[in-house]
mmCIF file of all heavy atoms in Angstrom:
data_model
loop_
_atom_site.group_PDB
_atom_site.id
_atom_site.type_symbol
_atom_site.label_atom_id
_atom_site.label_comp_id
_atom_site.label_asym_id
_atom_site.label_seq_id
_atom_site.Cartn_x
_atom_site.Cartn_y
_atom_site.Cartn_z
ATOM 1 N N LYS O 10 90.300 101.920 97.751
ATOM 2 C CA LYS O 10 91.643 102.165 97.243
ATOM 3 C C LYS O 10 91.605 102.813 95.870
ATOM 4 O O LYS O 10 92.400 103.710 95.569
ATOM 5 C CB LYS O 10 92.417 100.845 97.192
ATOM 6 C CG LYS O 10 92.682 100.247 98.555
ATOM 7 C CD LYS O 10 93.486 98.966 98.475
ATOM 8 C CE LYS O 10 93.810 98.433 99.856
ATOM 9 N NZ LYS O 10 94.618 97.202 99.803
ATOM 10 N N LEU O 11 90.688 102.376 95.040
ATOM 11 C CA LEU O 11 90.621 102.942 93.705
ATOM 12 C C LEU O 11 90.192 104.405 93.743
ATOM 13 O O LEU O 11 90.663 105.227 92.968
ATOM 14 C CB LEU O 11 89.656 102.138 92.833
ATOM 15 C CG LEU O 11 89.884 102.328 91.344
ATOM 16 C CD1 LEU O 11 91.114 101.559 90.891
ATOM 17 C CD2 LEU O 11 88.678 101.911 90.547
ATOM 18 N N GLN O 12 89.296 104.724 94.660
ATOM 19 C CA GLN O 12 88.863 106.118 94.805
ATOM 20 C C GLN O 12 90.052 107.007 95.150
ATOM 21 O O GLN O 12 90.184 108.122 94.632
ATOM 22 C CB GLN O 12 87.783 106.212 95.883
ATOM 23 C CG GLN O 12 86.474 105.544 95.504
ATOM 24 C CD GLN O 12 85.546 105.396 96.694
ATOM 25 O OE1 GLN O 12 85.751 105.982 97.752
ATOM 26 N NE2 GLN O 12 84.509 104.577 96.532
ATOM 27 N N ASP O 13 90.918 106.529 96.033
ATOM 28 C CA ASP O 13 92.089 107.332 96.407
ATOM 29 C C ASP O 13 93.069 107.461 95.251
ATOM 30 O O ASP O 13 93.723 108.491 95.084
ATOM 31 C CB ASP O 13 92.787 106.725 97.624
ATOM 32 C CG ASP O 13 92.094 107.081 98.920
ATOM 33 O OD1 ASP O 13 91.430 108.137 98.953
ATOM 34 O OD2 ASP O 13 92.204 106.334 99.892
ATOM 35 N N LEU O 14 93.193 106.414 94.446
ATOM 36 C CA LEU O 14 94.052 106.502 93.264
ATOM 37 C C LEU O 14 93.562 107.586 92.324
ATOM 38 O O LEU O 14 94.328 108.377 91.783
ATOM 39 C CB LEU O 14 94.083 105.163 92.521
ATOM 40 C CG LEU O 14 94.986 104.061 93.050
ATOM 41 C CD1 LEU O 14 94.859 102.833 92.163
ATOM 42 C CD2 LEU O 14 96.433 104.504 93.111
ATOM 43 N N GLU O 15 92.249 107.607 92.128
ATOM 44 C CA GLU O 15 91.674 108.532 91.155
ATOM 45 C C GLU O 15 91.657 109.962 91.674
ATOM 46 O O GLU O 15 91.938 110.907 90.931
ATOM 47 C CB GLU O 15 90.257 108.090 90.796
ATOM 48 C CG GLU O 15 89.667 108.819 89.612
ATOM 49 C CD GLU O 15 88.515 108.071 88.984
ATOM 50 O OE1 GLU O 15 87.992 107.130 89.605
ATOM 51 O OE2 GLU O 15 88.137 108.433 87.848
ATOM 52 N N ASN O 16 91.346 110.123 92.946
ATOM 53 C CA ASN O 16 91.201 111.463 93.507
ATOM 54 C C ASN O 16 92.526 112.099 93.909
ATOM 55 O O ASN O 16 92.646 113.319 93.982
ATOM 56 C CB ASN O 16 90.279 111.423 94.733
ATOM 57 C CG ASN O 16 88.872 110.982 94.380
ATOM 58 O OD1 ASN O 16 88.429 111.167 93.257
ATOM 59 N ND2 ASN O 16 88.171 110.401 95.338
ATOM 60 N N ASP O 17 93.531 111.289 94.182
ATOM 61 C CA ASP O 17 94.809 111.812 94.674
ATOM 62 C C ASP O 17 95.959 110.963 94.152
ATOM 63 O O ASP O 17 96.591 110.215 94.903
ATOM 64 C CB ASP O 17 94.793 111.803 96.214
ATOM 65 C CG ASP O 17 95.990 112.529 96.820
ATOM 66 O OD1 ASP O 17 96.780 113.122 96.045
ATOM 67 O OD2 ASP O 17 96.141 112.491 98.053
ATOM 68 N N PRO O 18 96.263 111.038 92.848
ATOM 69 C CA PRO O 18 97.259 110.148 92.250
ATOM 70 C C PRO O 18 98.685 110.360 92.742
ATOM 71 O O PRO O 18 99.534 109.507 92.535
ATOM 72 C CB PRO O 18 97.150 110.444 90.755
ATOM 73 C CG PRO O 18 96.555 111.809 90.680
ATOM 74 C CD PRO O 18 95.633 111.920 91.851
ATOM 75 N N SER O 19 98.962 111.482 93.381
ATOM 76 C CA SER O 19 100.332 111.726 93.846
ATOM 77 C C SER O 19 100.568 111.195 95.255
ATOM 78 O O SER O 19 101.613 110.616 95.546
ATOM 79 C CB SER O 19 100.659 113.216 93.800
ATOM 80 O OG SER O 19 99.771 113.956 94.613
ATOM 81 N N LEU O 20 99.578 111.365 96.155
ATOM 82 C CA LEU O 20 99.724 110.934 97.541
ATOM 83 C C LEU O 20 98.863 109.719 97.875
ATOM 84 O O LEU O 20 98.899 109.215 98.984
ATOM 85 C CB LEU O 20 99.381 112.079 98.502
ATOM 86 C CG LEU O 20 100.327 113.275 98.496
ATOM 87 C CD1 LEU O 20 99.805 114.362 99.428
ATOM 88 C CD2 LEU O 20 101.737 112.860 98.906
ATOM 89 N N TYR O 21 98.052 109.253 96.933
ATOM 90 C CA TYR O 21 97.175 108.093 97.144
ATOM 91 C C TYR O 21 96.233 108.292 98.332
ATOM 92 O O TYR O 21 95.899 107.351 99.045
ATOM 93 C CB TYR O 21 98.008 106.829 97.388
ATOM 94 C CG TYR O 21 99.034 106.518 96.329
ATOM 95 C CD1 TYR O 21 100.320 107.036 96.415
ATOM 96 C CD2 TYR O 21 98.728 105.717 95.234
ATOM 97 C CE1 TYR O 21 101.271 106.754 95.449
ATOM 98 C CE2 TYR O 21 99.669 105.427 94.266
ATOM 99 C CZ TYR O 21 100.938 105.947 94.380
ATOM 100 O OH TYR O 21 101.884 105.655 93.421
ATOM 101 N N GLY O 22 95.823 109.538 98.561
ATOM 102 C CA GLY O 22 94.910 109.802 99.662
ATOM 103 C C GLY O 22 95.557 109.783 101.034
ATOM 104 O O GLY O 22 94.870 109.828 102.040
ATOM 105 N N ARG O 23 96.889 109.727 101.076
ATOM 106 C CA ARG O 23 97.575 109.657 102.371
ATOM 107 C C ARG O 23 97.772 111.066 102.917
ATOM 108 O O ARG O 23 98.862 111.633 102.886
ATOM 109 C CB ARG O 23 98.909 108.931 102.211
ATOM 110 C CG ARG O 23 99.600 108.643 103.517
ATOM 111 C CD ARG O 23 100.801 107.723 103.316
ATOM 112 N NE ARG O 23 100.426 106.317 103.421
ATOM 113 C CZ ARG O 23 101.077 105.307 102.859
ATOM 114 N NH1 ARG O 23 102.133 105.542 102.119
ATOM 115 N NH2 ARG O 23 100.669 104.073 103.022
ATOM 116 N N SER O 24 96.713 111.634 103.442
ATOM 117 C CA SER O 24 96.758 112.978 104.007
ATOM 118 C C SER O 24 97.189 112.970 105.464
ATOM 119 O O SER O 24 97.529 114.015 106.023
ATOM 120 C CB SER O 24 95.378 113.632 103.887
ATOM 121 O OG SER O 24 94.402 112.829 104.527
ATOM 122 N N TYR O 25 97.179 111.811 106.083
ATOM 123 C CA TYR O 25 97.563 111.699 107.491
ATOM 124 C C TYR O 25 99.095 111.704 107.629
ATOM 125 O O TYR O 25 99.821 111.356 106.704
ATOM 126 C CB TYR O 25 96.976 110.426 108.103
ATOM 127 C CG TYR O 25 97.164 109.190 107.262
ATOM 128 C CD1 TYR O 25 98.313 108.422 107.326
ATOM 129 C CD2 TYR O 25 96.166 108.776 106.380
ATOM 130 C CE1 TYR O 25 98.489 107.287 106.548
ATOM 131 C CE2 TYR O 25 96.320 107.645 105.585
ATOM 132 C CZ TYR O 25 97.473 106.904 105.678
ATOM 133 O OH TYR O 25 97.641 105.784 104.899
ATOM 134 N N LYS O 26 99.555 112.093 108.809
ATOM 135 C CA LYS O 26 100.998 112.194 109.081
ATOM 136 C C LYS O 26 101.495 111.147 110.063
ATOM 137 O O LYS O 26 102.687 111.060 110.334
ATOM 138 C CB LYS O 26 101.322 113.591 109.639
ATOM 139 C CG LYS O 26 100.823 114.742 108.785
ATOM 140 C CD LYS O 26 101.444 114.730 107.397
ATOM 141 C CE LYS O 26 100.948 115.924 106.573
ATOM 142 N NZ LYS O 26 101.419 115.851 105.164
ATOM 143 N N LYS O 27 100.586 110.357 110.599
ATOM 144 C CA LYS O 27 100.950 109.311 111.535
ATOM 145 C C LYS O 27 100.167 108.036 111.217
ATOM 146 O O LYS O 27 99.005 108.115 110.819
ATOM 147 C CB LYS O 27 100.632 109.716 112.994
ATOM 148 C CG LYS O 27 101.501 110.829 113.556
ATOM 149 C CD LYS O 27 101.055 111.168 114.973
ATOM 150 C CE LYS O 27 101.945 112.227 115.611
ATOM 151 N NZ LYS O 27 103.275 111.703 115.917
ATOM 152 N N CYS O 28 100.819 106.896 111.383
ATOM 153 C CA CYS O 28 100.147 105.611 111.202
ATOM 154 C C CYS O 28 99.525 105.211 112.537
ATOM 155 O O CYS O 28 100.061 104.390 113.281
ATOM 156 C CB CYS O 28 101.138 104.548 110.721
ATOM 157 S SG CYS O 28 100.349 102.959 110.397
ATOM 158 N N LEU O 29 98.381 105.798 112.830
ATOM 159 C CA LEU O 29 97.728 105.578 114.114
ATOM 160 C C LEU O 29 96.877 104.318 114.118
ATOM 161 O O LEU O 29 96.686 103.682 115.154
ATOM 162 C CB LEU O 29 96.870 106.802 114.465
ATOM 163 C CG LEU O 29 97.645 108.110 114.666
ATOM 164 C CD1 LEU O 29 96.698 109.298 114.661
ATOM 165 C CD2 LEU O 29 98.435 108.060 115.967
ATOM 166 N N GLY O 30 96.351 103.950 112.952
ATOM 167 C CA GLY O 30 95.492 102.773 112.870
ATOM 168 C C GLY O 30 96.205 101.496 113.264
ATOM 169 O O GLY O 30 95.600 100.594 113.857
ATOM 170 N N SER O 31 97.499 101.430 112.954
ATOM 171 C CA SER O 31 98.248 100.218 113.257
ATOM 172 C C SER O 31 98.374 99.970 114.759
ATOM 173 O O SER O 31 98.639 98.855 115.195
ATOM 174 C CB SER O 31 99.654 100.301 112.652
ATOM 175 O OG SER O 31 100.397 101.361 113.243
ATOM 176 N N GLN O 32 98.153 101.023 115.564
ATOM 177 C CA GLN O 32 98.324 100.889 117.011
ATOM 178 C C GLN O 32 97.152 100.226 117.705
ATOM 179 O O GLN O 32 97.188 99.980 118.915
ATOM 180 C CB GLN O 32 98.619 102.249 117.629
ATOM 181 C CG GLN O 32 99.932 102.850 117.146
ATOM 182 C CD GLN O 32 101.097 101.876 117.326
ATOM 183 O OE1 GLN O 32 101.529 101.628 118.441
ATOM 184 N NE2 GLN O 32 101.589 101.307 116.234
ATOM 185 N N ILE O 33 96.112 99.913 116.944
ATOM 186 C CA ILE O 33 95.020 99.111 117.507
ATOM 187 C C ILE O 33 94.744 97.886 116.643
ATOM 188 O O ILE O 33 93.799 97.150 116.897
ATOM 189 C CB ILE O 33 93.723 99.934 117.685
ATOM 190 C CG1 ILE O 33 93.288 100.613 116.376
ATOM 191 C CG2 ILE O 33 93.876 100.967 118.795
ATOM 192 C CD1 ILE O 33 91.941 101.308 116.477
ATOM 193 N N GLN O 34 95.613 97.632 115.620
ATOM 194 C CA GLN O 34 95.425 96.443 114.783
ATOM 195 C C GLN O 34 96.774 95.919 114.275
ATOM 196 O O GLN O 34 97.056 95.970 113.076
ATOM 197 C CB GLN O 34 94.474 96.737 113.619
ATOM 198 C CG GLN O 34 94.804 97.986 112.826
ATOM 199 C CD GLN O 34 93.899 98.151 111.624
ATOM 200 O OE1 GLN O 34 93.425 97.187 111.028
ATOM 201 N NE2 GLN O 34 93.657 99.383 111.241
ATOM 202 N N PRO O 35 97.620 95.407 115.158
ATOM 203 C CA PRO O 35 98.940 94.900 114.742
ATOM 204 C C PRO O 35 98.848 93.541 114.068
ATOM 205 O O PRO O 35 97.758 92.965 113.942
ATOM 206 C CB PRO O 35 99.686 94.801 116.069
ATOM 207 C CG PRO O 35 98.611 94.465 117.049
ATOM 208 C CD PRO O 35 97.398 95.234 116.604
ATOM 209 N N CYS O 36 100.002 93.039 113.668
ATOM 210 C CA CYS O 36 100.100 91.732 113.015
ATOM 211 C C CYS O 36 101.108 90.865 113.754
ATOM 212 O O CYS O 36 102.182 91.345 114.137
ATOM 213 C CB CYS O 36 100.532 91.914 111.555
ATOM 214 S SG CYS O 36 101.000 90.390 110.701
ATOM 215 N N VAL O 37 100.776 89.607 113.944
ATOM 216 C CA VAL O 37 101.714 88.647 114.506
ATOM 217 C C VAL O 37 102.077 87.649 113.420
ATOM 218 O O VAL O 37 101.216 86.951 112.889
ATOM 219 C CB VAL O 37 101.135 87.897 115.719
ATOM 220 C CG1 VAL O 37 102.140 86.882 116.250
ATOM 221 C CG2 VAL O 37 100.745 88.882 116.822
ATOM 222 N N GLY O 38 103.350 87.608 113.058
ATOM 223 C CA GLY O 38 103.797 86.723 112.005
ATOM 224 C C GLY O 38 104.022 85.301 112.491
ATOM 225 O O GLY O 38 104.214 85.057 113.683
ATOM 226 N N ALA O 39 104.020 84.363 111.552
ATOM 227 C CA ALA O 39 104.293 82.968 111.900
ATOM 228 C C ALA O 39 105.712 82.792 112.431
ATOM 229 O O ALA O 39 106.008 81.799 113.102
ATOM 230 C CB ALA O 39 104.065 82.071 110.686
ATOM 231 N N ASP O 40 106.580 83.759 112.136
ATOM 232 C CA ASP O 40 107.950 83.708 112.652
ATOM 233 C C ASP O 40 108.039 84.171 114.102
ATOM 234 O O ASP O 40 109.111 84.204 114.687
ATOM 235 C CB ASP O 40 108.880 84.551 111.783
ATOM 236 C CG ASP O 40 108.430 85.996 111.634
ATOM 237 O OD1 ASP O 40 107.455 86.377 112.317
ATOM 238 O OD2 ASP O 40 109.038 86.734 110.829
ATOM 239 N N GLY O 41 106.898 84.544 114.681
ATOM 240 C CA GLY O 41 106.863 84.938 116.091
ATOM 241 C C GLY O 41 107.044 86.417 116.334
ATOM 242 O O GLY O 41 106.923 86.877 117.476
ATOM 243 N N HIS O 42 107.299 87.188 115.292
ATOM 244 C CA HIS O 42 107.473 88.630 115.469
ATOM 245 C C HIS O 42 106.123 89.339 115.497
ATOM 246 O O HIS O 42 105.193 88.961 114.775
ATOM 247 C CB HIS O 42 108.332 89.208 114.348
ATOM 248 C CG HIS O 42 109.802 88.978 114.540
ATOM 249 N ND1 HIS O 42 110.621 89.868 115.191
ATOM 250 C CD2 HIS O 42 110.590 87.938 114.182
ATOM 251 C CE1 HIS O 42 111.857 89.391 115.220
ATOM 252 N NE2 HIS O 42 111.863 88.221 114.616
ATOM 253 N N VAL O 43 106.046 90.367 116.331
ATOM 254 C CA VAL O 43 104.867 91.238 116.369
ATOM 255 C C VAL O 43 105.181 92.448 115.525
ATOM 256 O O VAL O 43 106.025 93.277 115.877
ATOM 257 C CB VAL O 43 104.525 91.649 117.822
ATOM 258 C CG1 VAL O 43 103.292 92.554 117.829
ATOM 259 C CG2 VAL O 43 104.297 90.418 118.691
ATOM 260 N N TYR O 44 104.531 92.548 114.379
ATOM 261 C CA TYR O 44 104.820 93.593 113.403
ATOM 262 C C TYR O 44 103.819 94.742 113.486
ATOM 263 O O TYR O 44 102.690 94.568 113.963
ATOM 264 C CB TYR O 44 104.790 93.020 111.981
ATOM 265 C CG TYR O 44 105.892 92.034 111.681
ATOM 266 C CD1 TYR O 44 105.616 90.681 111.538
ATOM 267 C CD2 TYR O 44 107.213 92.460 111.558
ATOM 268 C CE1 TYR O 44 106.620 89.770 111.255
ATOM 269 C CE2 TYR O 44 108.230 91.549 111.286
ATOM 270 C CZ TYR O 44 107.925 90.203 111.127
ATOM 271 O OH TYR O 44 108.926 89.307 110.857
ATOM 272 N N VAL O 45 104.262 95.877 112.978
ATOM 273 C CA VAL O 45 103.387 97.047 112.895
ATOM 274 C C VAL O 45 102.109 96.692 112.164
ATOM 275 O O VAL O 45 101.001 97.012 112.605
ATOM 276 C CB VAL O 45 104.104 98.202 112.163
ATOM 277 C CG1 VAL O 45 103.133 99.349 111.911
ATOM 278 C CG2 VAL O 45 105.299 98.677 112.954
#
């Protein structure tokens, strides 16, 4: 994370246009919701 802060302070290294990683690693909350 720090490398991205230093190398790309405006976009934080977010060069991707889709959140694809979340589609194989979701979160299940204690409230029972399945979150992104």
Side-chain angles (χ1 to χ4, degrees):
K10 294 182 177 181
L11 201 75
Q12 292 168 13
D13 280 334
L14 280 180
E15 191 160 14
N16 297 334
D17 189 5
S19 60
L20 293 176
Y21 306 89
R23 188 171 270 155
S24 56
Y25 47 86
K26 307 299 182 186
K27 291 178 177 290
C28 183
L29 296 166
S31 64
Q32 296 307 288
I33 54 174
Q34 50 175 330
C36 169
V37 179
D40 56 7
H42 281 269
V43 180
Y44 293 109
V45 172

